[in-house]
């Protein structure tokens, strides 16, 4: 993921931006409409997108594409360009997650500054994700007792699947270490590991924390479920989660999608759920 995808319905503009960026050492790809754009992204997500708002004879306009990209590839920065730019469009694009907005006819120096900053942001995000992965990998399980070996054998079995896991045990027995062990040795090890401390979140805020929210003033704020996309979400002390929220989580598990608070579009997520508890939940 090291190139820039340029999406514009005007061939001259596409090729001009591509030549400018190539002269600065960037690799580029081009697309003229939403179908070509999504095909390029699905083939391999770019490091950055330069996206025109208005795409003639296209199924989706720039805002639609931006919304899809920020949902499915949230780490890809998107720079919006438009020849019909105004403050309303700029604000709408930024609220939907755009990195920045450039108006046509654009200044070459301005374009290069914005692209360079966006690429640096993408690089820092990748480094941050790598550091988070290294932190996850640092959780080791050490022991030689028969009970420990039996536990580790059980954990090794579930690392190979994508099934949901419930870990039980007394406080301090290492349930989160076991959860991180499963994640580290699974096919999702390169994805995020997001912890939800159920007992520490006020019941009235639980759904907002998990599902995120959308407001006219602040735009999209991603919840923990969305942050865990592609990896694992770990519910610590899941028995302390409000019952109403538990029923909504069940729907997420079956449908793999949800709506943010205040939102109208469904958000698709691909995640594995690991939970833990100190309680005897079947008895309760």
């Amino acid at each position: 993921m090291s190139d820039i995808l340029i999406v514009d319905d005007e061939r001259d503009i596409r090729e001009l931006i591509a030549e400018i960026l190539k002269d600065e050492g960037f690799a580029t790809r081009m697309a003229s409409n939403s179908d070509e754009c999504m095909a390029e992204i699905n083939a391999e997500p770019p490091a950055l997108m330069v996206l025109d708002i208005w795409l003639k004879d296209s199924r989706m306009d720039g805002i639609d594409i931006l919304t899809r990209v920020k949902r499915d590839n949230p780490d890809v920065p998107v720079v919006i360009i438009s020849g019909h730019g105004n403050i309303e469009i700029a604000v709408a694009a930024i609220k939907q997650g755009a990195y920045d907005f450039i108006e046509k006819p654009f200044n070459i120096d301005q374009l290069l500054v914005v692209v360079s900053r966006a690429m640096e942001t993408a690089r820092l995000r990748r480094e941050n994700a790598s550091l988070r992965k290294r932190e996850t990998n640092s959780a080791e399980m050490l022991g030689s007792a028969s009970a420990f070996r039996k536990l580790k054998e059980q954990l090794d079995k579930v690392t190979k699947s994508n099934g949901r896991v419930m870990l039980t045990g007394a406080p301090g027995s290492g349930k989160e270490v076991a959860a991180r062990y499963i994640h580290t040795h699974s096919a999702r090890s390169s994805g995020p590991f997001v912890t939800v401390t159920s007992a520490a979140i006020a019941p009235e805020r639980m759904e907002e924390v998990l599902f995120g929210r959308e407001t006219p003033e602040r735009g999209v704020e991603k919840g923990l479920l969305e942050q865990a996309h592609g990896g694992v979400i770990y519910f610590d002390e899941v028995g302390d989660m409000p019952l109403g929220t538990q029923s909504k989580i069940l729907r997420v598990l079956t449908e793999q999608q949800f709506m943010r608070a205040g939102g109208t579009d469904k958000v698709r997520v691909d995640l594995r759920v690991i939970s833990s508890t100190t309680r005897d939940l079947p008895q309760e």
Side-chain angles (χ1 to χ4, degrees):
M1 192 173 73
S2 59
D3 62 355
I4 298 173
L5 177 60
I6 303 161
V7 186
D8 197 302
D9 61 336
E10 297 182 67
R11 180 178 176 180
D12 291 346
I13 297 295
R14 289 197 308 271
E15 294 182 349
L16 173 62
I17 294 174
E19 288 301 319
I20 292 171
L21 296 179
K22 284 178 182 177
D23 288 344
E24 295 298 316
F26 296 111
T28 62
R29 286 182 278 163
M30 292 182 284
S32 63
N33 56 51
S34 61
D35 289 342
E36 291 180 8
C37 172
M38 299 315 298
E40 290 288 345
I41 294 172
N42 291 334
E44 183 179 0
L48 169 70
M49 284 183 64
V50 178
L51 175 63
D52 189 11
I53 282 283
W54 307 110
L55 297 173
K56 186 178 180 181
D57 300 326
S58 187
R59 287 191 307 109
M60 297 188 291
D61 63 17
I63 292 292
D64 295 331
I65 294 174
L66 172 65
T67 302
R68 181 82 63 87
V69 170
K70 300 317 291 183
R71 183 191 71 187
D72 297 339
N73 299 275
D75 291 334
V76 176
V78 179
V79 175
I80 293 291
I81 57 174
S82 175
H84 309 279
N86 54 45
I87 190 62
E88 288 80 12
I89 293 177
V91 170
I94 297 299
K95 284 183 177 180
Q96 290 296 328
Y99 178 81
D100 209 337
F101 181 94
I102 298 176
E103 188 173 359
K104 296 178 186 176
F106 53 82
N107 177 285
I108 293 177
D109 290 336
Q110 180 192 14
L111 172 69
L112 292 176
V113 167
V114 171
V115 166
S116 296
R117 286 177 178 172
M119 290 291 280
E120 177 66 8
T121 297
R123 184 187 67 80
L124 292 174
R125 285 176 178 171
R126 290 195 297 272
E127 286 186 2
N128 191 32
S130 177
L131 289 172
R132 288 200 305 268
K133 180 185 175 183
R134 195 177 307 167
E135 178 185 334
T136 299
N137 291 345
S138 67
E140 297 184 29
M141 296 189 65
L142 303 173
S144 57
S146 59
F148 176 85
R149 290 199 303 270
K150 183 177 180 181
L151 169 64
K152 198 169 182 181
E153 288 174 2
Q154 292 176 321
L155 294 177
D156 287 334
K157 288 180 182 178
V158 298
T159 59
K160 310 304 179 186
S161 76
N162 199 39
R164 301 158 200 149
V165 177
M166 172 69 79
L167 301 166
T168 61
S173 58
K175 296 184 291 298
E176 182 169 351
V177 174
R180 289 183 178 273
Y181 179 88
I182 294 171
H183 173 252
T184 300
H185 293 83
S186 73
R188 294 177 176 268
S189 58
S190 61
F193 182 94
V194 176
T195 299
V196 181
T197 308
S198 305
I201 303 173
E204 64 272 14
R205 291 199 64 243
M206 179 65 77
E207 291 182 23
E208 185 176 295
V209 169
L210 290 177
F211 300 111
R213 66 175 179 175
E214 296 180 28
T215 61
E217 298 80 16
R218 303 182 65 176
V220 173
E221 296 181 10
K222 296 177 183 177
L224 296 179
L225 286 168
E226 202 168 347
Q227 293 175 34
H229 178 66
V232 167
I233 189 161
Y234 170 58
F235 292 107
D236 185 27
E237 288 301 335
V238 69
D240 291 335
M241 184 181 293
L243 292 177
T245 304
Q246 290 187 33
S247 65
K248 292 187 177 182
I249 290 292
L250 177 61
R251 177 166 293 183
V252 174
L253 296 181
T254 55
E255 299 180 359
Q256 291 282 290
Q257 59 183 9
F258 59 89
M259 286 198 297
R260 304 184 190 98
T264 56
D265 295 326
K266 288 190 175 181
V267 180
R268 181 181 59 83
V269 288
D270 171 24
L271 46 80
R272 184 181 190 181
V273 176
I274 301 178
S275 304
S276 71
T277 183
T278 57
R279 301 183 184 184
D280 185 344
L281 294 182
Q283 181 178 349
E284 291 193 16

